[in-house]
Amino acid sequence: GIQVEQSPPDLILQEGANSTLRCNFSDSVNNLQWFHQNPWGQLINLFYIPSGTKQNGRLSATTVATERYSLLYISSSQTTDSGVYFCAVDTSGSRLTFGEGTQLTVNP
Amino acid sequence: GAVVSQHPSRVICKSGTSVKIECRSLDFQATTMFWYRQFPKQSLMLMATSNEGSKATYEQGVEKDKFLINHASLTLSTLTVTSAHPEDSSFYICLGTGGKTEAFFGQGTRLTVV
């Protein structure tokens, strides 16, 4: 099956800093999503981005499908950005495969 | 975005009892519902995939007689943990999709078996 690798596994930032999270995948995909899991466990959709670039406030994402990677940018980070960021991909419309996640801690 | 409502959010049950978790898609038709399990500090582990009106497909190592999944309609899927034991304590979460489109999570259920 498809392999999904996220980096870095852990990231600690000071409030206000910018960061880039990466997701590499081993096969062509027709679906790629970024999710944020908050400290209470809730998973929130950030981006549906099988290709191209999208922005939503301080967050933006870019997927380069031909090179099999996606990047999630967080600018001017806030403590509420803390949590785990997951990348998930799908090749056939039948299931999402998740990476191991990036644990982000933003300190005040 | 679309909403998947999952209940209950937390449940504590005695060993040997069964627990039913419901996921309802509120503003779209979830033709497929995925059920995941997550242990602390780990990623999401797919347990099974259910399509409306058909039997669920279970991942290797997941006991289908223990984790009963029903997807009787396009808006409701249920996971029943039968004869629960402490090792079944975990965070269970559903993910609904209308097909080859964006998928949405329920709020998750934290199950504690005592």
Side-chain angles (χ1 to χ4, degrees):
Chain A
I2 191 168
Q3 304 297 313
V4 182
E5 294 183 356
Q6 290 187 242
S7 60
D10 296 278
L11 185 59
I12 300 174
L13 301 174
Q14 284 299 121
E15 202 167 23
N18 303 327
S19 63
T20 301
L21 282 57
R22 187 177 180 102
C23 173
N24 292 332
F25 43 95
S26 61
D27 203 350
S28 300
V29 299
N30 58 24
N31 182 358
L32 187 147
Q33 294 186 230
W34 284 95
F35 298 93
H36 173 222
Q37 187 168 35
N38 65 24
W40 297 271
Q42 192 172 10
L43 282 141
I44 306 297
N45 290 45
L46 296 177
F47 293 103
Y48 169 72
I49 188 165
S51 64
T53 297
K54 289 185 178 180
Q55 181 161 3
N56 184 3
R58 295 182 296 104
L59 303 182
S60 63
T62 295
T63 296
V64 184
T66 53
E67 297 187 21
R68 301 182 182 171
Y69 72 89
S70 183
L71 302 174
L72 177 69
Y73 306 96
I74 305 174
S75 64
S76 304
S77 58
Q78 300 176 0
T79 56
T80 51
D81 295 331
S82 296
V84 183
Y85 290 81
F86 287 106
C87 165
V89 301
D90 173 19
T91 60
S92 59
S94 62
R95 60 186 285 175
L96 279 174
T97 300
F98 284 79
E100 292 295 310
T102 293
Q103 172 75 59
L104 174 66
T105 303
V106 181
N107 292 320
Chain B
V3 176
V4 174
S5 177
Q6 182 172 348
H7 294 280
S9 58
R10 287 180 178 273
V11 58
I12 300 173
C13 71
K14 290 186 177 181
S15 189
T17 61
S18 295
V19 174
K20 180 185 279 189
I21 301 169
E22 288 190 354
C23 278
R24 294 181 183 271
S25 55
L26 299 184
D27 51 2
F28 72 105
Q29 293 183 328
T31 54
T32 302
M33 194 72 78
F34 302 96
W35 286 93
Y36 291 86
R37 182 174 182 175
Q38 187 181 35
F39 292 105
K41 307 277 187 193
Q42 294 188 21
S43 188
L44 295 142
M45 182 190 80
L46 181 63
M47 299 174 65
T49 302
S50 71
N51 293 296
E52 184 266 339
S54 62
K55 289 186 178 180
T57 302
Y58 289 81
E59 296 298 301
Q60 192 173 6
V62 177
E63 299 175 61
K64 60 182 178 182
D65 293 331
K66 179 166 190 62
F67 299 101
L68 300 178
I69 291 173
N70 183 281
H71 195 160
S73 77
L74 288 171
T75 58
L76 175 63
S77 179
T78 62
L79 165 67
T80 301
V81 183
T82 63
S83 188
H85 289 97
E87 57 265 31
D88 299 324
S89 298
S90 189
F91 186 68
Y92 295 87
I93 193 162
C94 61
L95 177 69
T97 179
K100 295 183 181 181
T101 58
E102 192 170 2
F104 295 90
F105 279 104
Q107 296 90 335
T109 297
R110 197 164 301 280
L111 171 64
T112 304
V113 185
V114 297

